[in-house]
Amino acid sequence: MEIYECKHKVKCDFSGCKNIATFSLVKRGLLRHDICLCEDCLNEIYNCVAKIRVPKAVESPFKLNKRLKKDEK
Ligand SMILES: [Zn+2]
């Protein structure tokens, strides 16, 4: 899935939202389908997802702590 700036003046796809969409989420497959969302809804979705999905750390927590201590100096 990719995210683009929505260049068309379309309404946000979130039901009940009347804002103009600022971003398009595009899922590539046999049928191309865009989901257009306004910034408010995108932020809300992001906050919701963040509660159940934490981004995977590239480095182990141990290494990360070591690096943070180094940065403090
Ligand atoms: Zn919206």
Side-chain angles (χ1 to χ4, degrees):
M1 197 177 285
E2 287 174 70
I3 190 157
Y4 298 98
E5 219 174 293
C6 191
K7 290 187 173 96
H8 321 284
K9 284 239 169 180
V10 289
K11 269 204 301 182
C12 174
D13 279 341
F14 221 83
S15 53
C17 182
K18 290 185 174 80
N19 292 336
I20 297 294
T22 43
F23 296 100
S24 310
L25 284 163
V26 181
K27 175 106 174 155
R28 282 170 204 275
L30 285 172
L31 288 168
R32 199 183 140 144
H33 186 71
D34 295 15
I35 300 169
C36 299
L37 293 170
C38 71
E39 211 164 339
D40 287 356
C41 288
L42 192 82
N43 284 337
E44 278 184 48
I45 291 169
Y46 182 81
N47 289 334
C48 264
V49 171
K51 285 176 193 167
I52 53 161
R53 289 284 183 271
V54 179
K56 278 181 192 166
V58 179
E59 293 183 74
S60 72
F62 176 74
K63 278 181 187 169
L64 192 72
N65 284 340
K66 222 172 156 185
R67 206 173 64 194
L68 286 175
K69 274 176 193 163
K70 216 169 139 187
D71 288 345
E72 279 169 17
K73 282 177 193 171

